[in-house]
Amino acid sequence: MQLTLWTYEGPPHVGAMRIATAMEGVHYVLHAPQGDTYADLLFTMIERRDKRPPVTYTTFQARDLGGDTAELFKNAVREAYERFMPEALLVGASCTAELIQDDPGGLALALRLPVPVVPLELPAYQKKENWGASETFYRLVRALAAPHAPPADWQRPAREAGRRPRCNLLGPTALGFRHRDDVKEITGLLARLGVDVDVVAPMGASPSDLARLGEADFNVVLYPEIALSAAQWLQRTFRQPYIDIVPVGVTATREFIAAVATLSGIDASSLLAAEQSRLPWYSRSVDSTYLTGKRVFVFGDATHVIAAARVAKEELGFTVVGLGSYSREFGRELREAAKAYGVEALITDDYLEVEAKVRELAPEMVLGTQMERHIAKRLGIPSAVISAPVHVQDFPARYSPQMGFEGANVIFDTWVHPLMMGLEEHLLAMFREDFEFHAGAGPSHLGHAASAPSDAAPAQAPTREPAQAQSTISMTPADVCWSDDAQKELMKIPFFVRGKARRNTERFATERGLATVTIETLYDAKAHYSR
Amino acid sequence: MTIQTPVASKGCSDVPVLRERGQREVFCGLTGIVWLHRKMQDAFFLVVGSRTCAHLIQSAAGVMIFAEPRFATAIMEERDLAGLVDANDELDRVVARLLERRPDIKLLFLVGSCPSEVIKLDLSRAAARLSRSHAPAVRVLNYSGSGIETTFTQGEDACLASLVPELPDAAPNAGKSLIVVGALADVVEDQFRRLFDQLGIGPVSFLPPRRTSELPTVGPQTQYLLAQPFLGDTARALDERGAVRLHSNFPLGIEGTTNWLRAAADAWGVSEQHFNTVVQPPQERARKALDHHRERLADKSIFFFPDSQLEVPLARFVSRELGMRPIEIGTPYLHQQHLAAELPLLPQNALLSEGQDVEKQLDRCRAAKPDIVVCGLGLANPLEAEGMTTKWSIELLFTPIQGYEQAGDLAELFARPLVRRSRLEV
C-alpha cells in the first residue's frame, strides 16, 4: 500500500480514455463500478471538451455482483455499438472490474460485432495513466495497421521523384499538456520544410487513419510516453523510421529539423537560416543578466523534464539544481539526462518526496506540474508549469505551444515572467526591510502567495521567523544557536535568499564545531559559499 | 441493460416513478470526503482503495487548493492483492506514518472503496485494532464510500451512520434535546442555532460537529431533524439509539425552512404566535430576495439529472416558490419515507425517475428542450455545446443553500446560468 495525498497520474484506464477521446470513430466500453464515470469530467471540465468522452461504463453496483456482471457487460457493449456505431471498439476493465475477472475482451469478441474489437489488458494495480495511454495506442495501431503489413522481406522503396516527403505525427492525446498547439506548430514547421503530415494520431485520427499509418515515409514521435512503443512496432513492421527528438527549445528544434531533413533527403539549410525564435536574442539582451545561474528545480513527465532542463541550462543560463519525474518507464533516460547537470534524478510518484526535495534544495524557481506549482506557492518560490498533470489553466485560449520556435518564445515568457525583474531584485537587496519591500509583503508580481502573515514583523521575532523555521526545522543542527546581533543581521538579508543564508551559515558553523553564530560567522560563511 | 418499469409507487404519494437501470453518470460516495473533511476539522479520511479512488477525489472538486488536505488514499498495489504482504500490516504501517505526520488528528475514518469491498478487506476489524493501538489520542472508525454501495451523497450518510454509535448516551434526566443531522455550512448552522434559541428550542446540537470532541449526546429524549434528504442509514442508526425523527420538509426555500422549523417548534410546544414572531422577519427578507429572481425564473422549464438526492426538495422549491416547471425530476434513490412531506408538493405533470440510464435520459432531455438542466460536471459542457443551459449539481452541495437567508442564493444558482446566456453576445 502506498500512502498518497495527490497523484501525478490516474489509473491506466484513464490513459486509454485519453486515446479514445482524442480519436474519432472509436468507442470504449469500460467494465467499471458506479462512480468511475467521474473520469468524464476531466475531459469536459479541465479540457472544456464540448462532447462527452466516447466511453460507456457498465457502472455495476453491489447488487449486480451477486448476479451476472458478464451479461451486464455484454449488454453494454451491444447497446453502445448500436447507439454509437463506432468504426472500432475498445473494451476493458477498470481496477474493480479487474478483480471480478469477467474477461471483457473474450465477452466482447463473442458478440461478433462487424467492427474491430480491441481488448485492453491494463493492470490497474501495477500500471498508471501514461502507460495505459501508450499500451492502448500501441494495441489500436497494431490491430488496425497489421492487416496492411507488408511481407517480412519487403524493403521500403525510395520516395518517388517529385512527391513531397510525408510523415505521421504520433503521440498527441486528449488532456495532453499543450498537445493541441504543439501539433499545429510542428505541422507548420514541417510544411515550411516541404514535408507533409499524413496522419496525426491519436488526436483527430479515425481507425481508418490508423490503418494507413504505414503509408508515410517516417514517423515523428512527439511524446515518447504515449507513442514510442507504437512507433517501434511500425518501424519493425513497415520499415518506417521514426524521429524521437522532442523539439522543445531552440536547439532541440534545430536538431529536429536536421533529423527530418536527413530522413526525408531534403535540404533544410535555407529554413534553418530563415526560422527565427526571439529566445536567443532575449536571452542575450542585457536585461536578462539577472537570469544567470538562477537555481531551478525541474519535475514532470520525462519528455518535458529532459527538454526543460536543457532549455533552462543552455538557453536561459539557469543552473539546474534538481531534476525528477514520475515517469518510471523512462528512468534510464532521466538518469542519463541528470548526469549532464551533476545531479541525481529523483524518480518518484510520491508528492511528499518531491515537496521535501524542493524544501531541501530551496531553488529560486520551480519548473513543474500543477502539483509543484502548489508546492512552490506554499514556499513562496516562483514557478512555471511545464508538464501534465494538467489543470484548466493549461488549456489557454490563446495559441501557446511548447514545441518549435514559437514554443521557445512561449517558454521564454512563461518562465521569465514569474521571476523578479533584475532591478527590482537589486533594490530589494539595497533597501532590505523597507516598509514596502519586506518578507511579509512579498514580491508584487507573486501577489499574496509569497507573503506569510506570521512573518510580517520579522524584526521583533527574537529567535527565528516561523516561515523559514518550518522549512529548515529538520535540517537545522540542534546545537547551533544565533546571537542576537547575528540574528538581526540575518534579517537584513533579502527574504528570498534568507533561508539559504541561514542554512549555509548553520552548516558552516556545524562543520567548524561553532555553537553560536555571530556576525563574524555569518560573513565568514558568506565568503565561504560565494560563487 | 435496462429494466424500465414505470411503477405506481405505494405509500403516501401516488406519484408514478420511472425506475431505470443502466449507465449511471454519478459520483461514488467517496466524493463526500471533499466537504466532510472541511466540516470536521480534526478528522482525517483515509480511503483504502486504488489509484482510481485517489484520482477521483483529487479531480472531483479541483480541491488542490489545500496546503495539506485531511484526506489521503492508501493505494493498494499488486502485492497487497496477491497476498504477498498482509494487507492489514500494510494498513497499520500507512496509518502509523499518517498519524505521525498529523498529530492534530483526533478521528480517523478508514473509508472503504470498490476494490477493498470486492476483496473483502475487513475495515471494521482494522478500525477496531487501530483504535486500540492509537488510543487514546486517536479514534478510528470506518465506513464505505464505494461506488458499488453508495452514490455520491450516500457517502455522507455512511460516514454519519458510523459516527452514531460513538455518540455518548444522554443522561437519563437530561430532558429533551434536538440534533440537526446532515453537514451544513457553518454560517447556516449558526443561523439555525439563533432561530432555535429565539424559538426556545434546545439544547440543539449538530451532526457532524465541527470538532469531534463536540459529539452530541443521544437518548430516548432526543429528537432529530434531517437537514439533508440522503441520510437513510444515519436516521436508522439514530432510531436504534432511541432518538425520534421529526417528520418534515427539508429546509430549502421559505416553505421548506418554515415547515422544518415548525416540526421542531411543535415538538417543543412553541405557540403559533411566538413561532410567527420569530420566523416572520427572515421570511420577509427571503421573500424579497426571491422576488428578484422569480421574474427571471417563472415559467422556465427545468430538468434534473439524478445526482445528490436533493432533486426532489429542490424541484418542490423551484416550482412552488419560483414558478418553474420541472419536466423530469431524476434522483439516484427515492427515499419514500423521508420524502413523504415533499412528494405531494411536486407538480403533477413532472416525471419522477429513480436510478439512471444516462443515454436514454439524455434522449428525453433533448426531446424536452428544457430551459435549464441540472446535471453533473461530466454532462454540463456537452449539453451547453448542444445549446442547453445547465447548472452543475455539485454546486448545490458546496454552496450554503438551506434556510431563509440562503433562499435567494439558492434561486440565484438557477438564475445565473440563464442570465449569463442572455448576456453573452458571442
Side-chain angles (χ1 to χ4, degrees):
Chain A
M1 267 178 219
Q2 190 198 354
L3 179 63
T4 306
L5 275 76
W6 304 120
T7 77
Y8 286 95
E9 293 182 77
H13 73 259
V14 167
M17 285 182 69
R18 288 176 54 191
I19 303 298
T21 306
M23 290 182 66
E24 305 287 335
V26 171
H27 199 86
Y28 182 20
V29 182
L30 185 64
H31 205 13
Q34 167 175 272
D36 281 9
T37 52
Y38 83 87
D40 284 357
L41 76 85
L42 304 171
F43 300 91
T44 64
M45 297 304 292
I46 295 178
E47 200 173 3
R48 301 187 182 91
R49 288 208 164 235
D50 59 359
K51 276 189 283 192
R52 291 166 63 213
V55 183
T56 295
Y57 306 75
T58 52
T59 59
F60 55 82
Q61 294 174 267
R63 60 182 175 196
D64 301 311
L65 291 176
D68 195 348
T69 48
E71 196 55 35
L72 189 71
F73 179 78
K74 274 160 68 178
N75 287 340
V77 175
R78 206 179 286 122
E79 286 187 10
Y81 175 71
E82 283 162 9
R83 180 174 279 268
F84 299 103
M85 298 301 281
E87 281 180 59
L89 262 178
L90 289 166
V91 295
S94 80
C95 53
T96 306
E98 184 183 327
L99 298 172
I100 59 176
Q101 300 184 321
D102 273 337
D103 183 20
L107 292 170
L109 290 169
L111 293 173
R112 303 191 168 281
L113 295 174
V115 293
V117 172
V118 182
L120 298 175
E121 298 271 348
L122 308 174
Y125 299 92
Q126 294 171 25
K127 303 290 190 181
K128 289 176 286 181
E129 180 178 331
N130 278 340
W131 183 88
S134 170
E135 173 72 6
T136 303
F137 186 53
Y138 164 72
R139 291 284 157 200
L140 265 173
V141 167
R142 230 188 124 135
L144 296 161
H148 308 277
D153 57 353
W154 180 79
Q155 289 302 314
R156 181 165 283 273
R159 173 162 56 93
E160 314 90 87
R163 176 173 72 73
R164 280 161 64 102
R166 55 180 188 240
C167 69
N168 303 312
L169 296 189
L170 304 182
T173 64
L175 271 187
F177 184 75
R178 308 291 168 85
H179 289 191
R180 174 196 75 189
D181 297 343
D182 286 346
V183 166
K184 182 176 169 192
E185 178 69 15
I186 296 305
T187 305
L189 187 68
L190 290 166
R192 292 194 294 281
L193 256 177
V195 177
D196 292 332
V197 171
D198 212 7
V199 175
V200 177
M203 187 181 281
S206 66
S208 48
D209 290 331
L210 295 193
R212 60 187 180 86
L213 279 175
E215 293 170 15
D217 299 312
F218 62 98
N219 288 310
V220 168
V221 179
L222 290 181
Y223 308 101
E225 277 92 342
I226 312 292
L228 189 59
S229 51
Q232 286 167 340
W233 180 82
L234 287 165
Q235 183 180 44
R236 285 196 302 276
T237 312
F238 291 91
R239 263 65 80 199
Q240 199 176 25
Y242 66 85
I243 293 173
D244 62 352
I245 297 170
V246 177
V248 170
V250 175
T251 313
T253 300
R254 298 180 76 87
E255 288 170 0
F256 171 82
I257 293 171
V260 170
T262 309
L263 260 189
S264 38
I266 51 176
D267 177 15
S269 52
S270 62
L271 180 87
L272 283 170
E275 286 284 342
Q276 293 285 338
S277 163
R278 291 190 186 90
L279 185 146
W281 170 240
Y282 275 32
S283 265
R284 285 187 154 73
S285 165
V286 289
D287 65 286
S288 293
T289 313
Y290 74 98
L291 300 175
T292 313
K294 282 269 181 207
R295 305 169 67 255
V296 294
F297 175 78
V298 192
F299 196 88
D301 67 18
T303 299
H304 287 93
V305 161
I306 294 171
R310 182 176 182 193
V311 173
K313 177 172 183 263
E314 298 178 4
E315 302 183 16
L316 289 165
F318 292 161
T319 300
V320 176
V321 292
L323 159 167
S325 173
Y326 55 82
S327 308
R328 282 186 193 281
E329 294 87 350
F330 289 80
R332 194 172 49 79
E333 289 85 345
L334 286 157
R335 277 186 285 271
E336 198 56 41
K339 272 188 207 154
Y341 312 101
V343 297
E344 185 116 1
L346 172 69
I347 297 167
T348 181
D349 57 359
D350 186 344
Y351 167 83
L352 298 174
E353 225 178 300
V354 179
E355 183 175 39
K357 194 70 180 174
V358 176
R359 278 185 193 279
E360 180 199 324
L361 293 172
E364 290 162 282
M365 182 175 209
V366 172
L367 301 172
T369 73
Q370 287 292 335
M371 320 254 250
E372 284 67 45
R373 189 173 71 86
H374 283 272
I375 294 172
K377 200 163 134 189
R378 262 203 301 290
L379 301 175
I381 303 171
S383 71
V385 175
I386 58 153
S387 159
V390 287
H391 182 269
V392 67
Q393 289 173 354
D394 298 319
F395 294 90
R398 68 183 184 280
Y399 178 57
S400 191
Q402 295 287 290
M403 293 184 170
F405 294 117
E406 184 57 24
N409 293 338
V410 169
I411 285 174
F412 185 91
D413 288 347
T414 319
W415 296 7
V416 167
H417 290 177
L419 292 168
M420 208 154 338
M421 297 302 285
L423 286 178
E424 188 182 1
E425 196 176 294
H426 291 313
L427 285 171
L428 278 166
M430 282 178 70
F431 299 111
R432 293 165 187 177
E433 293 311 326
D434 167 303
F435 75 101
E436 284 163 330
F437 284 161
H438 59 83
S444 54
H445 67 282
L446 288 181
H448 300 298
S451 62
S454 56
D455 208 33
Q460 274 112 49
T463 46
R464 59 181 70 209
E465 1 141 32
Q468 297 298 344
Q470 198 186 2
S471 62
T472 55
I473 205 152
S474 56
M475 286 161 280
T476 306
D479 50 345
V480 174
C481 63
W482 288 69
S483 71
D484 282 353
D485 50 352
Q487 182 74 28
K488 280 191 192 120
E489 199 70 11
L490 180 69
M491 289 307 173
K492 295 177 193 165
I493 294 172
F495 59 85
F496 50 89
V497 288
R498 199 180 296 150
K500 191 170 78 174
R502 175 190 286 280
R503 272 190 306 282
N504 283 350
T505 308
E506 286 174 352
R507 196 191 329 158
F508 180 83
T510 311
E511 281 165 9
R512 280 154 193 78
L514 304 171
T516 306
V517 173
T518 62
I519 294 185
E520 290 295 305
T521 326
L522 183 64
Y523 285 110
D524 285 346
K526 181 172 189 281
H528 178 77
Y529 288 108
S530 79
R531 281 173 283 172
Chain B
M1 74 199 269
T2 309
I3 303 157
Q4 203 171 318
T5 40
V7 210
S9 64
K10 297 163 286 293
C12 35
S13 74
D14 285 326
V15 195
V17 180
L18 171 66
R19 294 205 164 81
E20 282 190 303
R21 280 184 70 183
Q23 178 176 322
R24 292 167 69 108
E25 185 84 15
V26 288
F27 285 130
C28 64
L30 295 180
T31 325
I33 292 171
V34 174
W35 63 88
L36 287 169
H37 91 281
R38 300 314 301 166
K39 184 71 204 175
M40 285 184 264
Q41 297 180 0
D42 51 3
F44 195 101
F45 294 78
L46 179 66
V47 177
V48 182
S50 64
R51 184 166 299 283
T52 314
C53 307
H55 199 233
L56 156 91
I57 307 178
Q58 167 167 338
S59 314
V63 285
M64 288 177 51
I65 47 172
F66 304 124
E68 182 162 330
R70 273 178 290 101
F71 57 81
T73 309
I75 296 185
M76 296 193 286
E77 293 163 315
E78 190 68 12
R79 53 200 207 107
D80 298 303
L81 299 173
L84 296 177
V85 294
D86 187 323
N88 282 303
D89 291 346
E90 281 291 287
L91 187 57
D92 291 0
R93 183 183 62 78
V94 165
V95 167
R97 183 180 171 203
L98 177 74
L99 293 176
E100 196 181 309
R101 275 183 70 83
R102 299 298 301 263
D104 51 324
I105 297 307
K106 300 279 176 280
L107 177 63
L108 173 67
F109 287 101
L110 301 180
V111 188
S113 65
C114 297
S116 80
E117 298 292 335
V118 167
I119 66 165
K120 301 199 177 349
L121 188 59
D122 189 344
L123 291 183
S124 64
R125 285 183 59 186
R129 182 181 67 243
L130 286 162
S131 260
R132 277 195 303 278
S133 54
H134 293 281
V138 186
R139 184 90 182 91
V140 184
L141 300 178
N142 80 289
Y143 72 90
S144 171
S146 81
I148 58 177
E149 284 161 316
T150 59
T151 304
F152 196 24
T153 49
Q154 283 177 312
E156 175 176 332
D157 186 25
C159 172
L160 298 190
S162 79
L163 269 177
V164 172
E166 298 298 303
L167 305 184
D169 282 318
N173 55 354
K176 271 166 89 161
S177 65
L178 179 68
I179 306 180
V180 175
V181 187
L184 291 170
D186 292 352
V187 60
V188 177
E189 229 177 75
D190 293 342
Q191 290 166 11
F192 283 151
R193 204 180 274 284
R194 283 198 295 274
L195 284 170
F196 286 126
D197 274 352
Q198 288 169 32
L199 289 167
I201 295 169
V204 180
S205 45
F206 291 82
L207 184 71
R210 292 180 205 185
R211 304 201 67 82
T212 53
S213 52
E214 298 159 9
L215 282 176
T217 60
V218 67
Q221 300 262 62
T222 308
Q223 315 216 27
Y224 68 93
L225 268 175
L226 294 179
Q228 302 281 11
F230 43 74
L231 299 172
D233 288 350
T234 309
R236 203 171 309 120
L238 284 166
D239 293 346
E240 280 165 18
R241 295 286 307 266
V244 177
R245 181 167 68 89
L246 297 172
H247 299 254
S248 166
N249 290 95
F250 290 93
L252 298 171
I254 300 173
E255 185 182 32
T257 305
T258 304
N259 292 351
W260 189 77
L261 291 170
R262 193 188 300 275
D266 288 349
W268 258 257
V270 178
S271 75
E272 185 66 19
Q273 195 197 352
H274 182 55
F275 183 80
N276 287 335
T277 318
V278 172
V279 300
Q280 252 162 16
Q283 275 184 341
E284 205 41 53
R285 278 198 296 273
R287 223 166 269 131
K288 271 192 203 136
L290 288 184
D291 282 345
H292 185 62
H293 297 293
R294 193 176 301 110
E295 248 167 84
R296 287 199 191 96
L297 293 170
D299 228 32
K300 295 276 193 262
S301 58
I302 184 166
F303 191 109
F304 288 90
F305 276 80
D307 202 54
S308 61
Q309 293 189 48
L310 281 165
E311 295 82 6
V312 169
L314 285 172
R316 181 261 303 157
F317 163 71
V318 300
S319 64
R320 290 172 66 91
E321 298 187 39
L322 296 169
M324 297 182 79
R325 293 184 293 112
I327 297 174
E328 176 164 343
I329 307 162
T331 180
Y333 179 66
L334 194 66
H335 198 299
Q336 297 272 0
Q337 252 186 320
H338 288 185
L339 294 173
E342 299 285 352
L343 293 170
L345 302 184
L346 293 179
Q348 291 292 312
N349 53 357
L351 171 65
L352 194 57
S353 64
E354 182 183 16
Q356 188 174 34
D357 184 328
V358 69
E359 304 296 350
K360 292 196 173 122
Q361 197 167 26
L362 282 166
D363 290 345
R364 290 199 297 277
C365 181
R366 291 181 183 113
K369 295 194 173 58
D371 293 313
I372 186 165
V373 182
V374 182
C375 62
L377 294 171
L379 297 178
N381 262 344
L383 288 176
E384 290 277 350
E386 289 181 31
M388 282 185 245
T389 304
T390 62
K391 167 79 244 128
W392 321 338
S393 46
I394 197 164
E395 217 177 346
L396 298 161
L397 266 304
F398 291 178
T399 313
I401 56 169
Q402 293 83 1
Y404 294 124
E405 314 301 345
Q406 281 68 238
D409 301 343
L410 178 54
E412 205 265 346
L413 286 181
F414 297 103
R416 192 184 306 169
L418 291 164
V419 171
R420 180 155 189 81
R421 192 164 274 264
S422 67
R423 275 178 184 233
L424 296 179
E425 293 186 25
V426 288

